[in-house]
Amino acid sequence: MDCLRSVYDSATNYSYEIILIDNNSNDDSVEKISREFPGVMLIANNDNVGFARANNQGMEASSGRYVLLLNSDTVVRKDTLETMISFMDSRPDVGASGCKIILPDGSLDKACKRGFPTPSASFYYAFGFSKLFPDRPRFNGYQLGYLDPDLDYPIDCLVGAFMLLRRETINQVGGLDEEFFMYGEDLDWCYRIKEAGWEIYYYPKTAIVHLKGGSARRRPFKIVYEFHRAMILFHRKHYSKKYNSMINGTVYAGVGVKFALSLLRNALTSPKTVPSPAQSLNSANETGARNEKNTEVNL
């Protein structure tokens, strides 16, 4: 609800339509949204078809010259739509863009600007080299921690919580790969977009807040499993033919070990309370999980 309210509160000269996909949620939010937001095109699935398929449903129903994938656990600023569309209009070479994304504690969601998870970049990230040498590009190829988050520049990957795409780009590369149930589909999409010759841009002149699943840090097994399965799928699809069997085997084994450690850490983690969206947005203004619902804003 907060996400939809923030979109409707936007100060923009552009017209838009909102398409919301509900993946068989188990509460009364569908009825509430229908009552409070009658202008929203609401598609209620009888099953949880996954993040990729749900967003593809929304794109198929959309008509705008731009498509914005927006998680329902986000809050946009009043200027976000206007700022991002104006940027895209000024850069016809950019196929997809994203803004700064702030977490509930006021810190940067590092997933909003990433490099591709090559075997070397993934190794340095997984084993902590990126934290040990935060200013060294060699060791920060994935999260790009050496780049100033307040500057704009081309990057490899955005995050599915906020992705603004040009209609021509979608028509050229197709929608999200539905083999990814949740996680990894944004990386795969960005990889295909760049292969097709489009630029992908990080543009932090505006920001949103991403709650990332609310207050609980503990995650269900399905989420932990799909997160790691996506790593295997992405590597197999884009990198397995570029590397020998020893490197591929090492990657798969590493993901397996990380999966086991994640399950253990998850079991030992207690819930943690996080600030409200309003508090987080105030923090974002001062400092500069996949949800069951996926919102698309088509402009």
Side-chain angles (χ1 to χ4, degrees):
M1 297 291 229
D2 288 331
C3 175
L4 290 173
R5 292 188 188 101
S6 70
V7 171
Y8 277 117
D9 287 342
S10 296
T12 178
N13 293 316
Y14 298 100
S15 59
Y16 57 86
E17 60 182 353
I18 300 176
I19 302 170
L20 189 144
I21 314 298
D22 181 86
N23 268 341
N24 194 31
S25 57
N26 55 11
D27 56 20
D28 61 349
S29 57
V30 170
E31 292 76 15
K32 287 183 177 179
I33 290 170
S34 297
R35 288 196 304 268
E36 186 169 341
F37 303 101
V40 170
M41 182 189 302
L42 200 157
I43 300 174
N45 291 322
N46 294 324
D47 300 295
N48 186 346
V49 300
F51 183 85
R53 175 59 188 140
N55 276 287
N56 284 344
Q57 286 179 281
M59 285 186 278
E60 290 164 6
S62 68
S63 59
R65 64 193 181 97
Y66 292 106
V67 173
L68 172 62
L69 269 59
L70 184 66
N71 270 25
S72 61
D73 58 346
T74 60
V75 175
V76 303
R77 288 201 320 206
K78 286 184 178 295
D79 72 317
T80 298
L81 299 183
E82 184 77 16
T83 298
M84 296 305 298
I85 294 297
S86 296
F87 168 71
M88 291 291 283
D89 280 347
S90 72
R91 292 291 305 270
D93 60 318
V94 174
S97 64
C99 65
K100 179 185 286 188
I101 300 181
I102 303 298
L103 296 174
D105 63 2
S107 64
L108 180 74
D109 183 350
K110 297 178 181 178
C112 68
K113 58 175 187 68
R114 293 175 287 176
F116 290 127
T118 62
S120 59
S122 299
F123 174 82
Y124 293 135
Y125 171 69
F127 288 92
F129 288 91
S130 58
K131 291 183 178 179
L132 289 174
F133 306 102
D135 299 325
R136 300 282 293 277
R138 176 182 178 182
F139 299 114
N140 286 269
Y142 179 55
Q143 288 192 331
L144 307 179
Y146 60 94
L147 295 177
D148 189 337
D150 294 322
L151 299 179
D152 57 282
Y153 33 74
I155 56 173
D156 287 337
C157 305
L158 302 166
V159 65
F162 185 103
M163 291 182 71
L164 179 62
L165 289 98
R166 198 177 300 276
R167 175 69 64 178
E168 297 96 311
T169 305
I170 298 173
N171 290 341
Q172 181 179 354
V173 306
L176 294 164
D177 184 345
E178 295 176 19
E179 189 175 2
F180 295 88
F181 184 80
M182 58 193 303
Y183 301 111
E185 72 292 310
D186 45 8
L187 290 171
D188 171 75
W189 214 14
C190 287
Y191 195 95
R192 290 187 281 132
I193 289 169
K194 295 208 69 169
E195 276 193 322
W198 294 94
E199 287 277 17
I200 295 177
Y201 234 82
Y202 170 71
Y203 193 71
K205 306 305 180 183
T206 186
I208 68 166
V209 172
H210 187 197
L211 297 181
K212 278 200 167 182
S215 62
R217 291 176 58 196
R218 184 183 298 130
R219 297 291 181 255
F221 173 83
K222 175 70 171 175
I223 290 180
V224 179
Y225 169 75
E226 290 294 345
F227 179 81
H228 292 85
R229 187 178 77 91
M231 296 181 189
I232 297 294
L233 288 177
F234 184 87
H235 181 87
R236 183 179 298 154
K237 183 175 180 179
H238 298 295
Y239 291 134
S240 62
K241 294 181 180 179
K242 299 180 180 180
Y243 296 93
N244 60 43
S245 58
M246 184 175 70
I247 292 179
N248 288 332
T250 300
V251 169
Y252 299 144
V255 173
V257 171
K258 186 178 181 302
F259 176 51
L261 292 175
S262 295
L263 288 177
L264 177 61
R265 182 170 59 250
N266 192 56
L268 299 175
T269 300
S270 300
K272 178 182 177 181
T273 302
V274 298
S276 68
Q279 292 173 319
S280 302
L281 194 55
N282 288 335
S283 178
N285 290 334
E286 291 170 2
T287 66
R290 298 292 187 178
N291 202 279
E292 287 185 328
K293 296 176 183 59
N294 309 32
T295 307
E296 294 186 13
V297 184
N298 305 283
L299 303 106

